[in-house]
Amino acid sequence: MVVEIICVGTEILMGNIVNTNAAYLAAKCAGLGLSCYYQSVVGDNEGRLYEAVKIAYDRSDVVILSGGLGPTQDDLTKETAAKVLNKELYMHEPSKEAIIRILSRRGLTITENNWKQAMVPEGCIVVENPNGTAPGIIMEENNTHIILLPGPPGELIPMFEDSIVPYLKKLTPDVLYSDMVKLCGVGESMAEDRIKDLIDAQSNPTIATYAKTGEVHMRVTAKAKSEEEAKQIVKPVVDELFNRFGDAIFTTKEEVTLEESIVNLMKEKNLTLGVAESCSGGMLSARLISVSGVSDVYKAGLVTYSNEAKQELIHVSGDTLNRFGAVSEETAREMADGTLKTIGCDYAVAITGIAGPDGGTKEKPVGLVYIACGCKDNIIVKKCQFSGNREKVRQSATATALTMLRGQLLKNIG
Ligand code: ATP
Ligand code: MG
């Protein structure tokens, strides 16, 4: 079943708004097992919209349009889609009543053009819109389904979840199931190289890899007649990935993040954590604190940006700072050690580096970051050379710190 997405609106075409509807719809359709081969954006222009809908109608099984269902003259989607299928519009009384209800509740005066939203193509399915005045529309002709959705995401998303997903599920008898195998501490090309044979041999399940800063995600997806059957197809491939990557895999669940897996690990063992950050400026703490329930684990985080703060708050020695500099293995180690003592936690992580774009030297270039991590009398320090802009260096440092922390935890507590 091939789906195609068309987003309508000159605002999107001009870059005034970001096309989040396309990303949302594409991800949802992929999750439903629909193959999406084309996505397009068309301005509020009848001729070009007609052409786009016609082409999509001819080559795809499901065409989803977003936007242009409003009451004004430049909202043309419904009229144009109906024209492609040679359908007349008629006044849909329940939609008219809904418009009266919504507008009077909002204290708005009804104008003549409001009735435009209650006009629907003959023979279509009208989809209720609890969050706005434009109903959604489903038209079916020659086994092709054209689905019209309102542009505002606050209307489109609930309508899609509540009404369109059940509709699409009925069209696709196959069930799709995927596990998301997430790895940390392994580079993307290295990871892909190690599963090249699996990727070459794939048909059902399929393996798709995605790179994220410091992580590689592998989605293993199977199609079958039931979820149970699909799970059985996915399992041996996931087992094989565990054989190959072992501890580098921190979860097989889409929704679980690296920070969450670490927090869970520490929670299980009743361990606490403290953080001292320089160049990452709180990013590590922010990632950890995004995990609900982290309070059992996370005690405190300090952004010790200046040398004085490193000395006063976490007792890095002035001598170390003078001799080796703030960005050095020695300082990172003392930051972690000082954090353990000042905060009184079981584990500490410290980050110090040069995020750029200024401040680099020949000996200490931009992107040089030292990360220290561990527990009492067992702190390891890693020297990293990251690339990219300030933001990217900070993100890489944060991701690496999390990976190191996880590595230390696994080594010490199994
Ligand atoms: P309205 O009744 O508000 O006119 P509509 O169905 O005609 O709704 P549009 O006029 O195309 O939709 O868009 C209305 C608003 O919805 C836009 O200003 C924008 O904020 C949001 N929107 C539209 N299309 C998209 C999109 N593809 N991605 C994200 N937001 C969008
Ligand atoms: Mg509009």
Side-chain angles (χ1 to χ4, degrees), residues 67-72 74-75:
L69 295 185
T72 59
D74 64 353
D75 292 309

Side-chain angles (χ1 to χ4, degrees), residues 76-234:
L76 304 155
T77 305
K78 193 168 54 187
E79 294 72 6
T80 310
K83 209 165 162 186
V84 172
L85 299 189
N86 280 319
K87 302 284 182 200
E88 295 292 330
L89 299 178
Y90 72 96
M91 176 66 74
H92 183 245
E93 289 300 329
S95 296
K96 185 175 175 182
E97 283 158 25
I99 291 169
I100 297 172
R101 220 170 34 241
I102 293 168
L103 294 183
S104 36
R105 200 168 52 218
R106 291 182 190 164
L108 298 171
T109 326
I110 298 170
T111 55
E112 197 49 42
N113 59 6
N114 286 126
W115 305 133
K116 179 171 164 327
Q117 289 190 296
M119 299 292 288
V120 306
E122 54 187 359
C124 75
I125 300 171
V126 181
V127 183
E128 223 180 292
N129 180 357
N131 303 296
T133 48
I137 304 282
I138 303 176
M139 294 186 271
E140 196 198 327
E141 189 85 359
N142 295 325
N143 278 330
T144 301
H145 309 261
I146 300 189
I147 300 173
L148 315 183
L149 302 171
E155 298 178 35
L156 176 138
I157 294 172
M159 186 181 284
F160 194 83
E161 306 273 337
D162 297 342
S163 308
I164 309 304
V165 168
Y167 180 81
L168 292 174
K169 274 190 173 160
K170 272 196 218 139
L171 300 180
T172 49
D174 285 339
V175 176
L176 217 63
Y177 175 83
S178 32
D179 271 350
M180 185 64 113
V181 178
K182 298 186 181 179
L183 291 77
C184 61
V186 182
E188 191 196 15
S189 43
M190 149 101 79
E192 275 209 0
D193 195 55
R194 276 163 64 183
I195 56 162
K196 203 175 166 304
D197 57 321
L198 299 178
I199 290 181
D200 288 345
Q202 67 175 350
S203 58
N204 193 24
T206 56
I207 308 175
T209 61
Y210 313 89
K212 224 186 137 204
T213 302
E215 295 174 31
V216 176
H217 296 183
M218 297 174 174
R219 188 194 292 280
V220 184
T221 308
K223 217 178 227 187
K225 290 279 166 269
S226 71
E227 180 166 314
E228 213 31 59
E229 204 182 312
K231 276 184 183 169
Q232 291 305 319
I233 300 173
V234 164

Side-chain angles (χ1 to χ4, degrees), residues 47 53 149 158 179 216 241 263 266 283 302 335 409:
V53 177
L149 302 171
D179 271 350
V216 176
L241 293 176
V263 168
M266 296 190 78
M283 211 180 246
L302 299 165
M335 283 171 75
L409 288 166

